[in-house]
Amino acid sequence: MNIAAPIMDDLRPPPFHETWNHRKPAEVVKKRAADLPDMTALSVRAVMPDLPETIWAEDPLLGPTNVDEVRRHAKAQAEAMDWSKIEKGRMVNIIANPHGFQLCGEAYVTMLEVIAEHVRTTREARVRVRIAESMGHIENPDWVKIYNLEERFGDVTECPQIGPGKKVDTRLGDMYVLKKLFDAPYFIHTHVTEMREGYLHRMMDRLFKPFGMSYARLESRSAYHFGFGPRTGQIVSREIFESPDIQDRYVGTMVLDTTSEGVVGVHGNNDLYALDRSLAAGIMTNYGAVMRILGEIDDCVVIFDDHGCSVYTYAGGIAFDNMLCADVDFLDLDNLSVLAPEIHDRSDPGLTMGKNNAIKSIVINYMAGGVPQPFVWKNFPIHIVGETVKKWLYNDPTNYHISDAKPQVWSSLDEAVAAACKAGNTKNVIAFDRTPGAFRVSRPLAEHLMKRARAVRKQVEEELLPKWLRQRGLA
Amino acid sequence: MPKKVRMVAKIITENCTGCRLCEQVCPTVAIGMRPRREDEPGKSRNIAELDSAACYNAQGCVELCADDAIEMVELEEPFEVGFGIQDKVDTDEVKALCKKSGFSPIMRICVCTDTNAGDIAAAVIGGADTPEAVSLATGVRTGCQELCLQPILRILAKAGHEDMERNPKTGFQWYGESAVLWDHLDAKGEFPEEILEHYPNFPLETERADMGKLSKRSRK
């Protein structure tokens, strides 16, 4: 293992899976971005040498791929938690989320197994797994099949947000949650700490977020966006969590703590407030420089080459939303940071975000649909590789307007990237292909990022992180 | 911008068990039930039936169907919905309903279909009295469905349709309005102490001021 080397070309992107709606991108995508000439894998650890060591990683170059340590940590956490609320023989819902499977794979499943086993043996309870599905569910890999969840857990149900709901009373009034997630006398909340949708949760009550998002019904999910501001949407999550009906059923939380390389810890607590505050500083420390270095790119072509839809594709262990919004520091609570590039005004730059002028073009080798991205199609030239991928995108209920961007369709990835680079007058390319622990970039961009890494670390450590912590009462 | 519908659902009758989930979730209620004909293979007495003109490619039915009884098929001739809806009603009425509901007419509500508050208000003024009718008129709620519901319910309620019934009655296309923060501002435009005290780390006052600035910028 050589995790200090800046270039780690042996790291590969994870393979494509068949999707829930029976698409087989592996049969359609002829070439991955990693196989383009002049692409390389810049180690995230080269940018952030102080990352904690992993206890599980998807690739052996980044740490152990067996789940022994995850199991040991999860067991220790489970034994330290109080499960006495659960009465013998009663039903417990373990609530899981697709991001856990996507980013942490067997480690996440192992954590769920430890929880299930512990609750069954110590409380003689019945256990089932409820997966809180949200946008793009049918275009995602079928995690239930990929990880044999029905064999491993028995009763497993995917619960889309369009499914039946129920009302809960909150301090602010009625809110709505998904009925199937909370249809047992007890539930256990699980999560991973990775930095997707930071522009929404703003690292305010980060571990509560699913209560206002994937656990919420459409009504309250909509209210998160339209009835609250960008720094206060998380109040929906807190209100739902604190509602009497949810509190009656809540037992505890267990999370995988992650970095760009994989899992670095397992943490459990009955007290979600305490757990959230104990992990918040670490999350910002471990992801801060990785997020901010994307703002150091002056010009580039972005390739989507992954499951996930646009902002939910990953590079260097973080989602594309971090790059799309790199024009504004959305962890700085002085910035409103509404995702609204169409009304951006340079005279008050912190108010809106989402038009990163460094992005010269976007090449879609493959991406899932299911999440509306008009702010991408309207703001950047689009290139698509192959007619099948084009057809999938055009037929997406949420992105039919990609056709208005008049994307150019190319027969090969090489042609698409060459055309995009030529039009954008850049040699910098970054692929969001979910390679763990590394940025998949062209060599000129790798060299540029290496040159900027020290200054970015310094800025985060000395200026930004102290401010982020201070604003959240964590300093 | 109108939505371009490129696919519609197709019922695979032999797989349909008549469970009605598709009918209950469809945002445009494009699916109903009918008796199974004697010559149709399959076991259930009733099966789903599609009104393809009302199917706007939302795919919620595909997501919920546990019997693989629905597939999406490409249309040879795609069709557009929601085109020019504000041209058909009085502009001042649209503005007034939007104001009463707390939205700028140009505020984008459905990102998937690029439907703004003015479009929704126009549909309601034009006769749409439920979210399903608003969806049929505008295309709204036929994409991800996860962002747009609250403002639709709010505009309908402010137009006097707060007691509307679901269609079908057992459906779960929508339940009711969810609580919002802005409703808790007092007459002076300030948050009550109870909320400020409960959320000491949230920049509530700054949020209110910045959202006001953003609103002004949108109006420009």
Side-chain angles (χ1 to χ4, degrees), chain A residues 1 54-67 70 103-104 107 260-264 436:
Chain A
M1 187 168 78
T54 58
I55 60 170
W56 177 87
E58 195 164 1
D59 192 296
L61 290 169
L62 300 168
T65 55
N66 70 62
V67 292
V70 171
L103 289 172
C104 300
S260 295
E261 294 183 331
V263 176
V264 295

PDB file of all heavy atoms in Angstrom, chain A residues 1 54-67 70 103-104 107 260-264 436:
ATOM      1  N   MET A   1       0.846  -1.201   0.000  1.00  0.00           N
ATOM      2  CA  MET A   1       0.000   0.000   0.000  1.00  0.00           C
ATOM      3  C   MET A   1       0.880   1.249   0.000  1.00  0.00           C
ATOM      4  O   MET A   1       1.788   1.369   0.785  1.00  0.00           O
ATOM      5  CB  MET A   1      -0.907  -0.004   1.232  1.00  0.00           C
ATOM      6  CG  MET A   1      -1.936   1.106   1.214  1.00  0.00           C
ATOM      7  SD  MET A   1      -3.208   0.870   2.472  1.00  0.00           S
ATOM      8  CE  MET A   1      -2.347   1.415   3.939  1.00  0.00           C
ATOM      9  N   THR A  54      -7.996   4.583   6.776  1.00  0.00           N
ATOM     10  CA  THR A  54      -9.272   3.894   6.599  1.00  0.00           C
ATOM     11  C   THR A  54      -9.312   2.580   7.386  1.00  0.00           C
ATOM     12  O   THR A  54      -8.274   1.948   7.610  1.00  0.00           O
ATOM     13  CB  THR A  54      -9.519   3.554   5.118  1.00  0.00           C
ATOM     14  OG1 THR A  54      -8.441   2.749   4.654  1.00  0.00           O
ATOM     15  CG2 THR A  54      -9.641   4.811   4.275  1.00  0.00           C
ATOM     16  N   ILE A  55     -10.515   2.203   7.773  1.00  0.00           N
ATOM     17  CA  ILE A  55     -10.709   0.847   8.295  1.00  0.00           C
ATOM     18  C   ILE A  55     -11.398  -0.021   7.229  1.00  0.00           C
ATOM     19  O   ILE A  55     -11.480  -1.225   7.360  1.00  0.00           O
ATOM     20  CB  ILE A  55     -11.529   0.828   9.608  1.00  0.00           C
ATOM     21  CG1 ILE A  55     -12.927   1.430   9.403  1.00  0.00           C
ATOM     22  CG2 ILE A  55     -10.771   1.517  10.715  1.00  0.00           C
ATOM     23  CD1 ILE A  55     -13.858   1.220  10.596  1.00  0.00           C
ATOM     24  N   TRP A  56     -11.913   0.616   6.203  1.00  0.00           N
ATOM     25  CA  TRP A  56     -12.440  -0.098   5.033  1.00  0.00           C
ATOM     26  C   TRP A  56     -12.324   0.810   3.823  1.00  0.00           C
ATOM     27  O   TRP A  56     -12.590   2.014   3.903  1.00  0.00           O
ATOM     28  CB  TRP A  56     -13.914  -0.476   5.207  1.00  0.00           C
ATOM     29  CG  TRP A  56     -14.487  -1.158   3.980  1.00  0.00           C
ATOM     30  CD1 TRP A  56     -14.451  -2.488   3.700  1.00  0.00           C
ATOM     31  CD2 TRP A  56     -15.144  -0.542   2.859  1.00  0.00           C
ATOM     32  NE1 TRP A  56     -15.045  -2.743   2.472  1.00  0.00           N
ATOM     33  CE2 TRP A  56     -15.485  -1.557   1.940  1.00  0.00           C
ATOM     34  CE3 TRP A  56     -15.478   0.776   2.531  1.00  0.00           C
ATOM     35  CZ2 TRP A  56     -16.135  -1.305   0.728  1.00  0.00           C
ATOM     36  CZ3 TRP A  56     -16.117   1.042   1.325  1.00  0.00           C
ATOM     37  CH2 TRP A  56     -16.451  -0.006   0.440  1.00  0.00           C
ATOM     38  N   ALA A  57     -11.911   0.212   2.703  1.00  0.00           N
ATOM     39  CA  ALA A  57     -11.861   0.958   1.447  1.00  0.00           C
ATOM     40  C   ALA A  57     -12.330   0.044   0.321  1.00  0.00           C
ATOM     41  O   ALA A  57     -12.240  -1.186   0.417  1.00  0.00           O
ATOM     42  CB  ALA A  57     -10.453   1.463   1.168  1.00  0.00           C
ATOM     43  N   GLU A  58     -12.823   0.661  -0.725  1.00  0.00           N
ATOM     44  CA  GLU A  58     -13.321  -0.114  -1.855  1.00  0.00           C
ATOM     45  C   GLU A  58     -12.160  -0.712  -2.645  1.00  0.00           C
ATOM     46  O   GLU A  58     -12.319  -1.721  -3.328  1.00  0.00           O
ATOM     47  CB  GLU A  58     -14.166   0.800  -2.755  1.00  0.00           C
ATOM     48  CG  GLU A  58     -15.021   0.066  -3.750  1.00  0.00           C
ATOM     49  CD  GLU A  58     -16.105   0.969  -4.335  1.00  0.00           C
ATOM     50  OE1 GLU A  58     -16.170   2.156  -3.981  1.00  0.00           O
ATOM     51  OE2 GLU A  58     -16.882   0.460  -5.155  1.00  0.00           O
ATOM     52  N   ASP A  59     -10.993  -0.067  -2.557  1.00  0.00           N
ATOM     53  CA  ASP A  59      -9.828  -0.511  -3.322  1.00  0.00           C
ATOM     54  C   ASP A  59      -8.694  -0.829  -2.349  1.00  0.00           C
ATOM     55  O   ASP A  59      -8.430  -0.036  -1.433  1.00  0.00           O
ATOM     56  CB  ASP A  59      -9.409   0.599  -4.291  1.00  0.00           C
ATOM     57  CG  ASP A  59      -8.396   0.112  -5.312  1.00  0.00           C
ATOM     58  OD1 ASP A  59      -7.277  -0.270  -4.907  1.00  0.00           O
ATOM     59  OD2 ASP A  59      -8.732   0.124  -6.514  1.00  0.00           O
ATOM     60  N   PRO A  60      -7.993  -1.964  -2.550  1.00  0.00           N
ATOM     61  CA  PRO A  60      -6.921  -2.325  -1.606  1.00  0.00           C
ATOM     62  C   PRO A  60      -5.791  -1.306  -1.552  1.00  0.00           C
ATOM     63  O   PRO A  60      -5.027  -1.287  -0.577  1.00  0.00           O
ATOM     64  CB  PRO A  60      -6.434  -3.686  -2.122  1.00  0.00           C
ATOM     65  CG  PRO A  60      -6.971  -3.822  -3.504  1.00  0.00           C
ATOM     66  CD  PRO A  60      -8.197  -2.994  -3.585  1.00  0.00           C
ATOM     67  N   LEU A  61      -5.670  -0.461  -2.561  1.00  0.00           N
ATOM     68  CA  LEU A  61      -4.622   0.564  -2.512  1.00  0.00           C
ATOM     69  C   LEU A  61      -4.914   1.625  -1.452  1.00  0.00           C
ATOM     70  O   LEU A  61      -4.045   2.406  -1.081  1.00  0.00           O
ATOM     71  CB  LEU A  61      -4.500   1.257  -3.874  1.00  0.00           C
ATOM     72  CG  LEU A  61      -3.912   0.414  -5.003  1.00  0.00           C
ATOM     73  CD1 LEU A  61      -4.095   1.114  -6.337  1.00  0.00           C
ATOM     74  CD2 LEU A  61      -2.437   0.129  -4.747  1.00  0.00           C
ATOM     75  N   LEU A  62      -6.143   1.638  -0.980  1.00  0.00           N
ATOM     76  CA  LEU A  62      -6.555   2.692  -0.045  1.00  0.00           C
ATOM     77  C   LEU A  62      -6.790   2.189   1.372  1.00  0.00           C
ATOM     78  O   LEU A  62      -7.088   2.987   2.271  1.00  0.00           O
ATOM     79  CB  LEU A  62      -7.838   3.366  -0.553  1.00  0.00           C
ATOM     80  CG  LEU A  62      -7.746   4.023  -1.927  1.00  0.00           C
ATOM     81  CD1 LEU A  62      -9.123   4.395  -2.447  1.00  0.00           C
ATOM     82  CD2 LEU A  62      -6.855   5.257  -1.877  1.00  0.00           C
ATOM     83  N   GLY A  63      -6.675   0.869   1.572  1.00  0.00           N
ATOM     84  CA  GLY A  63      -6.902   0.335   2.913  1.00  0.00           C
ATOM     85  C   GLY A  63      -7.506  -1.051   2.835  1.00  0.00           C
ATOM     86  O   GLY A  63      -7.668  -1.612   1.745  1.00  0.00           O
ATOM     87  N   PRO A  64      -7.855  -1.607   3.997  1.00  0.00           N
ATOM     88  CA  PRO A  64      -8.403  -2.968   3.995  1.00  0.00           C
ATOM     89  C   PRO A  64      -9.755  -3.036   3.283  1.00  0.00           C
ATOM     90  O   PRO A  64     -10.613  -2.182   3.502  1.00  0.00           O
ATOM     91  CB  PRO A  64      -8.555  -3.302   5.479  1.00  0.00           C
ATOM     92  CG  PRO A  64      -8.545  -1.985   6.184  1.00  0.00           C
ATOM     93  CD  PRO A  64      -7.762  -1.035   5.341  1.00  0.00           C
ATOM     94  N   THR A  65      -9.921  -4.037   2.438  1.00  0.00           N
ATOM     95  CA  THR A  65     -11.206  -4.205   1.748  1.00  0.00           C
ATOM     96  C   THR A  65     -12.094  -5.218   2.471  1.00  0.00           C
ATOM     97  O   THR A  65     -13.259  -5.365   2.119  1.00  0.00           O
ATOM     98  CB  THR A  65     -11.005  -4.654   0.294  1.00  0.00           C
ATOM     99  OG1 THR A  65     -10.207  -5.835   0.299  1.00  0.00           O
ATOM    100  CG2 THR A  65     -10.332  -3.575  -0.528  1.00  0.00           C
ATOM    101  N   ASN A  66     -11.521  -5.940   3.437  1.00  0.00           N
ATOM    102  CA  ASN A  66     -12.399  -6.817   4.224  1.00  0.00           C
ATOM    103  C   ASN A  66     -13.098  -5.979   5.305  1.00  0.00           C
ATOM    104  O   ASN A  66     -12.659  -4.875   5.638  1.00  0.00           O
ATOM    105  CB  ASN A  66     -11.615  -7.995   4.829  1.00  0.00           C
ATOM    106  CG  ASN A  66     -10.674  -7.542   5.921  1.00  0.00           C
ATOM    107  OD1 ASN A  66     -11.125  -7.020   6.935  1.00  0.00           O
ATOM    108  ND2 ASN A  66      -9.375  -7.720   5.723  1.00  0.00           N
ATOM    109  N   VAL A  67     -14.173  -6.529   5.812  1.00  0.00           N
ATOM    110  CA  VAL A  67     -15.026  -5.720   6.706  1.00  0.00           C
ATOM    111  C   VAL A  67     -14.793  -6.038   8.188  1.00  0.00           C
ATOM    112  O   VAL A  67     -15.585  -5.623   9.040  1.00  0.00           O
ATOM    113  CB  VAL A  67     -16.520  -5.911   6.353  1.00  0.00           C
ATOM    114  CG1 VAL A  67     -16.821  -5.308   4.994  1.00  0.00           C
ATOM    115  CG2 VAL A  67     -16.931  -7.367   6.416  1.00  0.00           C
ATOM    116  N   VAL A  70     -14.672  -2.933  10.408  1.00  0.00           N
ATOM    117  CA  VAL A  70     -15.987  -2.275  10.459  1.00  0.00           C
ATOM    118  C   VAL A  70     -16.889  -3.057  11.397  1.00  0.00           C
ATOM    119  O   VAL A  70     -17.579  -2.491  12.252  1.00  0.00           O
ATOM    120  CB  VAL A  70     -16.608  -2.188   9.045  1.00  0.00           C
ATOM    121  CG1 VAL A  70     -18.057  -1.713   9.117  1.00  0.00           C
ATOM    122  CG2 VAL A  70     -15.798  -1.257   8.159  1.00  0.00           C
ATOM    123  N   LEU A 103     -21.631   4.328  -1.722  1.00  0.00           N
ATOM    124  CA  LEU A 103     -20.292   4.803  -1.375  1.00  0.00           C
ATOM    125  C   LEU A 103     -19.538   3.856  -0.451  1.00  0.00           C
ATOM    126  O   LEU A 103     -18.321   3.846  -0.450  1.00  0.00           O
ATOM    127  CB  LEU A 103     -20.383   6.174  -0.715  1.00  0.00           C
ATOM    128  CG  LEU A 103     -20.769   7.302  -1.667  1.00  0.00           C
ATOM    129  CD1 LEU A 103     -21.031   8.568  -0.893  1.00  0.00           C
ATOM    130  CD2 LEU A 103     -19.695   7.539  -2.708  1.00  0.00           C
ATOM    131  N   CYS A 104     -20.257   3.101   0.349  1.00  0.00           N
ATOM    132  CA  CYS A 104     -19.576   2.289   1.357  1.00  0.00           C
ATOM    133  C   CYS A 104     -19.855   0.801   1.208  1.00  0.00           C
ATOM    134  O   CYS A 104     -19.346   0.002   2.006  1.00  0.00           O
ATOM    135  CB  CYS A 104     -19.960   2.764   2.759  1.00  0.00           C
ATOM    136  SG  CYS A 104     -19.511   4.476   3.062  1.00  0.00           S
ATOM    137  N   ALA A 107     -19.218  -2.375   3.578  1.00  0.00           N
ATOM    138  CA  ALA A 107     -19.037  -1.803   4.925  1.00  0.00           C
ATOM    139  C   ALA A 107     -20.382  -1.341   5.483  1.00  0.00           C
ATOM    140  O   ALA A 107     -20.689  -1.549   6.665  1.00  0.00           O
ATOM    141  CB  ALA A 107     -18.057  -0.632   4.872  1.00  0.00           C
ATOM    142  N   SER A 260     -12.654  10.779   1.700  1.00  0.00           N
ATOM    143  CA  SER A 260     -12.614  10.499   0.261  1.00  0.00           C
ATOM    144  C   SER A 260     -12.092   9.103  -0.039  1.00  0.00           C
ATOM    145  O   SER A 260     -12.302   8.575  -1.128  1.00  0.00           O
ATOM    146  CB  SER A 260     -11.715  11.515  -0.443  1.00  0.00           C
ATOM    147  OG  SER A 260     -12.279  12.795  -0.349  1.00  0.00           O
ATOM    148  N   GLU A 261     -11.371   8.503   0.919  1.00  0.00           N
ATOM    149  CA  GLU A 261     -10.760   7.194   0.670  1.00  0.00           C
ATOM    150  C   GLU A 261     -11.628   6.018   1.077  1.00  0.00           C
ATOM    151  O   GLU A 261     -11.427   4.905   0.606  1.00  0.00           O
ATOM    152  CB  GLU A 261      -9.426   7.104   1.424  1.00  0.00           C
ATOM    153  CG  GLU A 261      -8.391   8.065   0.898  1.00  0.00           C
ATOM    154  CD  GLU A 261      -7.051   7.939   1.594  1.00  0.00           C
ATOM    155  OE1 GLU A 261      -7.016   7.551   2.787  1.00  0.00           O
ATOM    156  OE2 GLU A 261      -6.031   8.223   0.941  1.00  0.00           O
ATOM    157  N   GLY A 262     -12.553   6.238   1.992  1.00  0.00           N
ATOM    158  CA  GLY A 262     -13.372   5.122   2.464  1.00  0.00           C
ATOM    159  C   GLY A 262     -13.896   5.393   3.857  1.00  0.00           C
ATOM    160  O   GLY A 262     -14.128   6.547   4.239  1.00  0.00           O
ATOM    161  N   VAL A 263     -14.047   4.322   4.624  1.00  0.00           N
ATOM    162  CA  VAL A 263     -14.619   4.447   5.972  1.00  0.00           C
ATOM    163  C   VAL A 263     -13.483   4.582   6.990  1.00  0.00           C
ATOM    164  O   VAL A 263     -12.528   3.809   6.963  1.00  0.00           O
ATOM    165  CB  VAL A 263     -15.476   3.202   6.300  1.00  0.00           C
ATOM    166  CG1 VAL A 263     -15.994   3.272   7.735  1.00  0.00           C
ATOM    167  CG2 VAL A 263     -16.634   3.083   5.313  1.00  0.00           C
ATOM    168  N   VAL A 264     -13.605   5.557   7.874  1.00  0.00           N
ATOM    169  CA  VAL A 264     -12.566   5.747   8.893  1.00  0.00           C
ATOM    170  C   VAL A 264     -13.077   5.456  10.305  1.00  0.00           C
ATOM    171  O   VAL A 264     -12.304   5.427  11.256  1.00  0.00           O
ATOM    172  CB  VAL A 264     -11.956   7.165   8.836  1.00  0.00           C
ATOM    173  CG1 VAL A 264     -11.215   7.364   7.517  1.00  0.00           C
ATOM    174  CG2 VAL A 264     -13.020   8.240   9.027  1.00  0.00           C
ATOM    175  N   PRO A 436     -12.489   5.904  -5.968  1.00  0.00           N
ATOM    176  CA  PRO A 436     -12.313   6.338  -4.580  1.00  0.00           C
ATOM    177  C   PRO A 436     -10.898   6.855  -4.346  1.00  0.00           C
ATOM    178  O   PRO A 436      -9.938   6.385  -4.958  1.00  0.00           O
ATOM    179  CB  PRO A 436     -12.559   5.051  -3.780  1.00  0.00           C
ATOM    180  CG  PRO A 436     -12.212   3.940  -4.722  1.00  0.00           C
ATOM    181  CD  PRO A 436     -12.517   4.448  -6.115  1.00  0.00           C
TER     182      PRO A 436
END
